[in-house]
């Protein structure tokens, strides 16, 4: 029997291919659709992993763990797509992959804006922590220098 024909009774059991844990059966997929599903699953995992690493790196000196970064991406997906389409995160690899790609390509996307906000928060926290380590006289000098920086005209434009 030719298993490439439409009448093939064989089913392909698609396993979740993730580095996060043991493989588990996610769905029973017709053999003919297996390549397409595997393609989108792998492509999504590659894109998602890259974006998770960006989220982790943006957090600064106290990076997020992988699970927190994944949860953050999912939250941003729901924020951008709305609650009515949030189910796609679990069930539609192609939609999530296309969303991740579009977010990475758009400088003003939800993902990019949130990454900038995380980076800014990390800088503020680091500066705050460093300032608290200064003596009171060093803090006074630091504040004085910051004040004079704010008064100087910006010639970089």
């Amino acid at each position: 029997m030719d298993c490439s024909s439409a009448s093939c009774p064989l089913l392909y059991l698609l396993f979740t291919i993730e580095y996060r844990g043991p493989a588990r059966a996610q769905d029973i997929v017709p053999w003919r659709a297996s390549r397409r599903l595997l393609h989108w699953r792998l492509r999504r995992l590659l894109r998602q992993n890259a974006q998770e690493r960006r989220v982790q790196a943006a957090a600064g000196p106290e990076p997020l763990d992988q699970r927190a970064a994944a949860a953050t991406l999912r939250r941003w997906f729901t924020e951008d797509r709305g609650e009515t389409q949030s189910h796609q995160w679990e069930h539609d690899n192609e939609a999530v992959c296309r969303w991740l790609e579009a977010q990475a390509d758009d400088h003003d996307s939800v993902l990019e804006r949130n990454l900038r906000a995380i980076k800014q928060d990390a800088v503020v926290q680091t500066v705050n922590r460093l300032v608290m380590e200064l003596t009171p006289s060093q803090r006074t000098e630091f504040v004085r220098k910051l004040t004079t920086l704010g008064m100087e005209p910006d010639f970089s434009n």
Side-chain angles (χ1 to χ4, degrees), residues 80-131:
D80 189 45
R81 290 286 180 98
E83 286 293 326
T84 58
Q85 294 183 3
S86 65
H87 70 283
Q88 288 179 330
W89 187 265
E90 294 295 328
H91 304 290
D92 193 344
N93 292 314
E94 182 178 354
V96 173
C97 182
R98 290 189 188 282
W99 180 81
L100 288 167
E101 290 170 347
Q103 293 294 304
D105 292 341
D106 183 5
H107 184 68
D108 197 39
S109 66
V110 169
L111 184 134
E112 295 298 328
R113 285 192 315 263
N114 286 334
L115 281 174
R116 284 192 298 274
I118 288 173
K119 288 176 186 175
Q120 289 171 351
D121 288 346
V123 168
V124 168
Q125 288 176 2
T126 300
V127 169
N128 192 25
R129 183 178 46 79
L130 292 172
V131 167

Side-chain angles (χ1 to χ4, degrees), residues 144-155:
R144 186 186 65 75
K145 287 182 179 180
L146 279 179
T147 305
T148 59
L149 284 177
M151 302 266 190
E152 294 177 11
D154 184 16
F155 295 111

Side-chain angles (χ1 to χ4, degrees), residues 19 63 66 108 157:
Y19 57 89
Q66 186 276 324
D108 197 39
N157 293 336

Side-chain angles (χ1 to χ4, degrees), residues 2-5 11-14 17 29-43 93-94:
D2 178 20
C3 288
S4 62
S5 70
L11 296 177
Y12 179 77
L13 183 59
L14 181 65
I17 301 169
V29 179
W31 181 257
R32 295 184 63 101
S34 63
R35 274 194 204 155
R36 184 174 194 279
L37 290 172
L38 184 60
H39 165 81
W40 284 109
R41 181 68 180 155
L42 290 173
R43 190 167 164 180
N93 292 314
E94 182 178 354

Side-chain angles (χ1 to χ4, degrees), residues 34-88:
S34 63
R35 274 194 204 155
R36 184 174 194 279
L37 290 172
L38 184 60
H39 165 81
W40 284 109
R41 181 68 180 155
L42 290 173
R43 190 167 164 180
R44 177 219 172 134
L45 287 174
L46 290 171
R47 300 278 186 229
Q48 185 175 336
N49 184 272
Q51 297 306 329
E52 287 171 3
R53 285 194 314 267
R54 289 182 68 203
V55 171
Q56 289 173 308
E62 299 164 12
L64 297 171
D65 67 346
Q66 186 276 324
R67 288 181 189 263
T72 300
L73 279 179
R74 181 182 180 148
R75 189 173 61 250
W76 294 346
F77 179 82
T78 300
E79 176 186 325
D80 189 45
R81 290 286 180 98
E83 286 293 326
T84 58
Q85 294 183 3
S86 65
H87 70 283
Q88 288 179 330

